[in-house]
Amino acid sequence: MLSSQTKDEVNFVAMSRLRKHGLTVQNVLDTSDERLGELIYPVGFWKREVCYIKETCQVLKDKYNSDIPQTVDELCKLKGVGPKMAYICMNVAWGKPTGIGVDTHVHRICGRLGWTEKECNNPEATRKALESWLPIDKWIEINWLLVGFGQQICLPVGPRCGECFNRDLCPVGSKWTPSPKKKSSPTKRTLKE
């Protein structure tokens, strides 16, 4: 819910503070909006997110006995929860591969690797394209594998193709050549020696 329009690092810090504060439905409901805002700031649209979190917690308490819904449709009815989060939630919380959670990293990497037949202009199109050929038993792990890869190697700007073990399989990476302007860092020189 917090990850929309927020860098992964910022989201991680906010979630760490929330967990330390006590991340239960009742505890969140008992927390003032001001304090909740302090805990999640500086996530994107944090003031709106406070409202979504509070409203969602109330729904979870009233309709789901302080648990989470067990279907994608029910999850998507919660404020601030879209298909990506619903599929990830189904995969992680219930162990049900009902769909692939496609975020910005998965969307970008699949496009670069040519894993979609045609140009997919949005994550939902990428999800449908992936699900058309990727075996269902890989649906749960594909998100976390590609997210980590996208955070560390296959960056949106300046991908580290020179460090990528998949370089020869990738249409972008296979065209990569070392920059004559860049010098090897002292750390890399030390490791090579």
Side-chain angles (χ1 to χ4, degrees):
M1 184 180 280
L2 296 181
S3 64
S4 179
Q5 304 298 315
T6 304
K7 290 187 178 277
D8 297 322
E9 301 82 15
V10 173
N11 190 49
F12 177 80
V13 171
M15 285 305 301
S16 296
R17 285 194 301 258
L18 277 173
R19 283 189 193 104
K20 186 176 180 184
H21 175 73
L23 194 51
T24 65
V25 168
Q26 192 59 54
N27 194 42
V28 170
L29 289 171
D30 292 342
T31 302
S32 72
D33 289 3
E34 182 180 345
R35 177 68 181 135
L36 191 55
E38 291 169 0
L39 291 168
I40 67 170
Y41 182 82
V43 300
F45 307 105
W46 64 272
K47 290 180 182 178
R48 183 185 67 190
E49 295 293 350
V50 166
C51 296
Y52 285 174
I53 291 168
K54 285 288 190 102
E55 186 176 323
T56 296
C57 283
Q58 192 62 57
V59 171
L60 295 178
K61 181 179 179 181
D62 295 344
K63 287 184 72 175
Y64 300 101
N65 196 27
S66 295
D67 205 341
I68 57 172
Q70 294 188 33
T71 69
V72 169
D73 288 339
E74 289 176 323
L75 284 162
C76 285
K77 289 177 185 174
L78 299 172
K79 280 274 173 95
V81 176
K84 173 195 82 171
M85 190 51 55
Y87 290 121
I88 291 171
C89 191
M90 291 297 296
N91 293 344
V92 174
W94 302 116
K96 296 178 183 176
T98 56
I100 299 171
V102 177
D103 70 348
T104 185
H105 302 292
V106 176
H107 178 64
R108 176 181 67 254
I109 293 166
C110 289
R112 283 184 179 164
L113 290 173
W115 284 2
T116 54
E117 282 187 27
K118 58 182 180 182
E119 183 67 30
C120 292
N121 294 324
N122 60 62
E124 188 62 13
T126 298
R127 179 188 68 81
K128 289 177 182 175
L130 276 176
E131 289 175 2
S132 73
W133 65 267
L134 189 68
I136 197 167
D137 66 327
K138 303 295 183 206
W139 287 11
I140 291 177
E141 66 186 291
I142 190 74
N143 177 275
W144 51 265
L145 287 171
L146 292 183
V147 168
F149 181 59
Q151 291 170 333
Q152 300 296 316
I153 302 294
C154 197
L155 305 171
V157 177
R160 297 178 177 151
C161 298
E163 300 173 33
C164 182
F165 294 128
N166 300 307
R167 181 177 56 232
D168 296 334
L169 305 171
C170 175
V172 174
S174 62
K175 296 175 188 167
W176 176 83
T177 56
S179 172
K181 295 180 181 179
K182 287 189 177 180
K183 295 181 179 175
S184 181
S185 71
T187 307
K188 290 180 184 174
R189 275 198 304 267
T190 304
L191 291 174
K192 288 179 184 176
E193 295 170 355

